[in-house]
Amino acid sequence: MKRFLRRITPALIALLMATGASAQKFVRVNQIGYMTNAPKQAQVAGMNAHHFELKNAKTEETVFKGSIPEGKRWNQSREMTQYADFSDFKTPGTYFVEVNGERSYPFEIGDASIFEDFSLWTIKAFYLWRSSTAIEPQYATFKGVNFGRAMGHPDEEVYIHSSAYSKNRKAETIISSPKGWYDAGDYNKYVVNAGITLHHLYLAFEMHEDYYKKKRLNIPESDNMLPDLLDEIKWETDWLFTMQDPEDGGVYHKLTTKKFCDINMQPSEDIQDRYVVTKSTSAALNFAAEMAITYRVFRFYDEMYAKAALAAARRAWKWAVNNPEVYFENPSDIRTGSYGDSNFSDEFFWAASELLIATGEKEFYDQLDFFRLFETPQWNACNSLALMSMVWHLDELPAFADKQLIKRKFMTLAETLYNGYKYSPGHLSLKAFIWGCNGEIATNGAILGLAYRVTKDEKYKEAMASQFNYLLGMNPTDYCFISGFGSKYPKNIHDRRSTSDGIDEPLPGYICGGANPNQTSDCGKFNYPSLAPARCYLDEHCSYSTNEIAINWNAPLVLLTSIMINSYE
């Protein structure tokens, strides 16, 4: 053995790391825990194990034993994967799983309260994302750490970019466009990415209205008459209203600086001029969908606000119908995120569906061509957002709507996702590990949970739970992918606020993008620990390909968490 060790060269070490031989835990669990009535499994990798023990974390007493079925090789992680199932054990407490002397991280078993802080802070992440306001310590202290900061980007004086001028709004005209959330790890605000984000947050509220009426987020508006989740959503929709040109109903694509500020700059330190840039068909259609949902939710809480949202949605829809092919490209002097798209059929489909639910008008139903592909929704692939909304509101749709067709299309999508889970050695419903795959996994879990709520078929609930457990630690990286939670979580998220705040701990409640083997040169001197797709993740702030955060990834996590809590309570 000593002779072999002397022969290990730097090149061999690099090869071992690239093939996934770095040290890691081989017994992986949901690091927060499992609800009493939920499935409970630990992922066991590379052991060819036969038995496991569940032990009390304080006394180390064995409380449950079980056998481990034969596993399968998971090519995505390049491991033989098995599962230790302790679903039958329901006694509340803190435990760990031990296999062949290898221990998992500790976790809790209990009621929904074990996810109370997790549920709270994955929503409060949006409060921490707010622009145009100071983040106050009394609302931003997590585990004794104060994440408050000075106000950044008041956006009360924003310029009309030369690409966005209109008759009464010439280039360099100043408008006011405050509020809204920073989009991701940067400080700009994008109408298009707000679309899928608001859809998921609104659906979480619609599915669990009583739950969210009682859930206090400890935000500045907590003492008003609105449920706190709607208060947080309203911070974004207030900004969205300002992005519509009052003259023609068109919608500006984004509010942005001309280039990204330095990674080590706090929001208050970024004093570059800000611009609204170029109207686009995709922005108008996302806006129409966003405001149609705003109408149907807010009409029970603020009738005037709701009516204003529906009127704005109609005007944006009309603009898009009259301007169906206005594609977005960054003007030559703008170097920030684009959210460009070359196909608007899915945005038309989604916007029409939300307007149908809001108004019941046949004009919008006639726009729905169901002969299209329905897959996991993305910011630029909105077809399935329409299905999710319509299937939840199926009983409210007018008589002329083909409800059987809508449900069949949705259930076909859900069954496809279920089969992905069923036949994956990783128990994961995911086509490929790509940029932002954790957001896709959360979305798939939410769709499976919605399928359970529609059909009451337990198999969809089981598959949903597996996606949830993956994100919270039962995965080949051994990370709980949400900052601040679990025993091992991202400490160096790619986010300007967190990188520049001088605090060792990351801003809490953020899900990072996740494993992605398609970009491994973004960190220069830092090597990715493995090139196996499911393990190609690096917890460094330079890793924008795996460790960035984004509003459209946190929102499906909020939705998934709410369905989990309310399905297994």
Side-chain angles (χ1 to χ4, degrees):
M1 177 62 73
K2 290 183 179 178
R3 203 169 357 182
F4 172 75
L5 289 173
R6 291 193 193 103
R7 295 171 60 192
I8 294 180
T9 65
L12 180 56
I13 292 173
L15 177 62
L16 289 170
M17 290 187 69
T19 55
S22 57
Q24 60 177 321
K25 282 193 175 293
F26 291 92
V27 184
R28 301 147 182 165
V29 294
N30 179 326
Q31 294 175 25
I32 297 178
Y34 304 84
M35 293 174 67
T36 305
N37 296 320
K40 307 176 193 72
Q41 291 184 328
Q43 185 183 81
V44 181
M47 286 193 182
N48 191 27
H50 301 289
H51 304 282
F52 74 93
E53 296 180 60
L54 180 68
K55 294 187 174 184
N56 184 294
K58 293 181 180 179
T59 66
E60 300 197 5
E61 174 191 2
T62 298
V63 296
F64 186 87
K65 294 181 179 180
S67 60
I68 302 177
E70 185 176 343
K72 295 181 180 179
R73 177 175 172 79
W74 190 17
N75 290 333
Q76 297 297 315
S77 66
R78 299 175 187 168
E79 300 169 318
M80 184 66 68
T81 305
Q82 299 171 277
Y83 290 89
D85 194 314
F86 49 102
S87 299
D88 290 339
F89 185 82
K90 300 179 184 295
T91 304
T94 304
Y95 305 94
F96 63 85
V97 173
E98 186 170 300
V99 181
N100 294 350
E102 179 74 29
R103 296 182 175 186
S104 73
Y105 288 116
F107 56 86
E108 284 190 77
I109 293 176
D111 61 20
S113 65
I114 68 174
F115 293 110
E116 180 60 31
D117 279 352
F118 180 81
S119 172
L120 176 75
W121 281 95
T122 53
I123 302 172
K124 285 197 69 165
F126 290 92
Y127 169 72
L128 298 178
W129 251 317
R130 287 187 185 188
S131 72
S132 311
T133 187
I135 301 302
E136 302 290 346
Q138 64 266 38
Y139 309 118
T141 298
F142 177 74
K143 295 182 179 178
V145 180
N146 169 22
F147 291 97
R149 58 172 167 79
M151 181 179 71
H153 307 101
D155 287 340
E156 292 176 347
E157 294 186 356
V158 175
Y159 295 97
I160 301 291
H161 189 265
S162 58
S163 64
Y165 76 92
S166 59
K167 181 179 179 182
N168 294 320
R169 286 187 164 186
K170 307 296 185 183
E172 301 298 318
T173 297
I174 295 175
I175 64 170
S176 179
S177 188
K179 297 189 177 182
W181 301 314
Y182 298 132
D183 179 72
D186 61 286
Y187 297 145
N188 302 310
K189 300 182 287 193
Y190 304 82
V191 171
V192 168
N193 205 36
I196 188 171
T197 302
L198 287 174
H199 174 277
H200 293 330
L201 294 178
Y202 272 130
L203 186 57
F205 182 83
E206 290 184 302
M207 291 182 69
H208 312 109
E209 187 168 357
D210 289 341
Y211 172 77
Y212 283 113
K213 281 181 177 179
K214 299 173 185 175
K215 191 169 187 65
R216 292 177 61 84
L217 300 179
N218 185 32
I219 56 178
E221 302 83 6
S222 286
D223 291 330
N224 69 14
M225 300 300 292
L226 272 181
D228 283 4
L229 179 56
L230 294 189
D231 279 317
E232 192 54 59
I233 287 172
K234 190 173 181 292
W235 191 267
E236 180 80 346
T237 55
D238 282 354
W239 166 68
L240 285 168
F241 272 113
T242 72
M243 293 295 285
Q244 184 172 46
D245 187 338
E247 179 183 332
D248 61 11
V251 180
Y252 306 115
H253 196 82
K254 61 179 176 176
L255 191 162
T256 180
T257 51
K258 288 193 172 182
K259 62 179 182 178
F260 292 120
C261 71
D262 187 82
I263 190 70
N264 291 310
M265 190 173 286
Q266 280 283 290
S268 57
E269 298 170 327
D270 180 18
I271 57 173
Q272 300 177 79
D273 289 338
R274 309 261 283 177
Y275 296 84
V276 292
V277 179
T278 308
K279 297 169 189 173
S280 70
T281 305
S282 57
L285 290 169
N286 272 274
F287 180 94
E290 294 156 2
M291 288 303 178
I293 307 174
T294 298
Y295 164 75
R296 76 166 182 254
V297 174
F298 270 84
R299 61 183 169 160
F300 301 109
Y301 296 94
D302 186 336
E303 186 177 2
M304 288 185 62
Y305 194 80
K307 287 181 177 179
L310 183 58
R314 289 185 183 276
R315 297 185 70 232
W317 170 264
K318 183 177 180 181
W319 188 94
V321 169
N322 292 331
N323 299 271
E325 296 181 344
V326 180
Y327 303 99
F328 180 81
E329 291 185 6
N330 266 331
S332 59
D333 59 340
I334 301 292
R335 296 285 189 271
T336 55
S338 63
Y339 287 103
D341 197 355
S342 60
N343 179 9
F344 302 140
S345 65
D346 55 306
E347 282 88 356
F348 272 107
F349 186 82
W350 178 40
S353 74
E354 302 295 2
L355 283 161
L356 168 67
I357 299 168
T359 68
E361 295 172 8
K362 195 170 186 299
E363 167 195 354
F364 299 113
Y365 183 75
D366 290 342
Q367 296 288 327
L368 300 181
D369 174 12
F370 287 91
F371 189 72
R372 59 181 58 244
L373 183 64
F374 294 101
E375 294 186 304
T376 304
Q378 307 282 352
W379 63 264
N380 59 346
C382 306
N383 289 330
S384 296
L385 296 179
L387 288 185
M388 294 170 74
S389 291
M390 287 189 290
V391 80
W392 183 250
H393 291 277
L394 203 60
D395 292 340
E396 304 161 32
L397 293 179
F400 53 73
D402 190 338
K403 298 179 183 181
Q404 290 186 342
L405 173 64
I406 293 168
K407 185 174 181 179
R408 185 169 70 250
K409 290 290 185 178
F410 174 76
M411 291 312 303
T412 298
L413 168 63
E415 190 67 11
T416 299
L417 296 179
Y418 173 77
N419 286 332
Y421 150 79
K422 181 179 179 180
Y423 295 109
S424 165
H427 290 188
L428 187 63
S429 182
L430 184 73
K431 280 189 173 181
F433 287 89
I434 58 173
W435 195 318
C437 64
N438 279 348
E440 185 172 341
I441 293 164
T443 304
N444 288 343
I447 293 171
L448 289 163
L450 180 55
Y452 163 70
R453 296 289 289 274
V454 169
T455 65
K456 300 303 180 185
D457 189 329
E458 293 282 331
K459 74 177 188 181
Y460 298 115
K461 187 165 68 164
E462 173 190 295
M464 168 185 66
S466 185
Q467 314 312 298
F468 187 66
N469 293 337
Y470 170 95
L471 295 172
L472 273 64
M474 202 178 76
N475 65 71
T477 73
D478 210 30
Y479 275 87
C480 174
F481 281 122
I482 294 80
S483 59
F485 288 90
S487 297
K488 182 181 179 182
Y489 54 82
K491 295 286 186 73
N492 304 293
I493 55 176
H494 180 85
D495 176 79
R496 283 162 173 77
R497 297 162 303 152
S498 199
T499 301
S500 63
D501 62 9
I503 301 172
D504 289 338
E505 283 295 302
L507 288 160
Y510 290 102
I511 186 172
C512 66
N516 173 21
N518 302 309
Q519 166 58 279
T520 57
S521 61
D522 51 3
C523 274
K525 64 179 181 179
F526 292 103
N527 290 319
Y528 280 73
S530 173
L531 296 184
R535 295 174 59 196
C536 193
Y537 167 77
L538 183 63
D539 181 22
E540 295 291 344
H541 71 80
C542 51
S543 182
Y544 53 81
S545 63
T546 71
N547 220 25
E548 189 172 15
I549 60 174
I551 58 173
N552 61 307
W553 302 337
N554 251 70
L557 178 63
V558 170
L559 175 58
L560 171 58
T561 302
S562 69
I563 302 175
M564 276 291 301
I565 288 173
N566 286 278
S567 295
Y568 284 108
E569 61 180 354

